[in-house]
């Protein structure tokens, strides 16, 4: 099977998420290490109602296949509104 991002050249620089914070209204911000959504986040997103938001910020990334590359800040935050 071909990867979904088949239009990206094979020699393109790729990054992996190392950590991030998320914030859901009514709850404190939570830090996540790694690039997966923990079960708690999936559950909380499922409980959101229309027009409520989930925000992701302070996202840290590192270039793939580069052991000498440092972890760095991703540009910008992300906010998603539930429809």
């Amino acid at each position: 099977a071909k990867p979904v991002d088949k239009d990206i050249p094979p020699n393109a620089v790729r990054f992996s998420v190392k950590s991030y914070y998320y914030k859901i209204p009514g709850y404190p911000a939570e830090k996540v290490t790694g690039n997966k959504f923990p079960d708690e986040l999936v559950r909380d997103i499922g409980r959101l109602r229309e027009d409520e938001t989930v925000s992701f910020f302070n996202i840290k990334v590192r270039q793939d296949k580069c052991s000498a590359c440092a972890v760095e800040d991703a540009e910008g935050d992300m906010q998603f509104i539930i429809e």
Side-chain angles (χ1 to χ4, degrees), residues 5-6 9 20 29-30 47 52 56 59 62 67-68 71 75:
D5 59 357
K6 65 183 179 204
Y20 61 92
E30 296 282 339
R47 292 179 179 170
E52 289 186 315
F56 298 91
I59 303 164
R62 184 168 165 202
S67 58
V71 173
E75 291 185 24

Side-chain angles (χ1 to χ4, degrees), residues 9-57:
N11 61 346
V13 176
R14 295 175 188 248
F15 290 83
S16 293
V17 172
K18 296 301 177 186
S19 67
Y20 61 92
Y21 283 83
Y22 71 90
K23 174 78 174 91
I24 291 178
Y27 296 93
E30 296 282 339
K31 182 178 182 178
V32 175
T33 301
N35 61 357
K36 304 286 184 191
F37 281 5
D39 292 340
E40 297 83 14
L41 174 56
V42 174
R43 179 198 65 216
D44 291 343
I45 289 173
R47 292 179 179 170
L48 291 174
R49 297 181 181 184
E50 187 174 332
D51 293 327
E52 289 186 315
T53 61
V54 58
S55 301
F56 298 91
F57 56 96

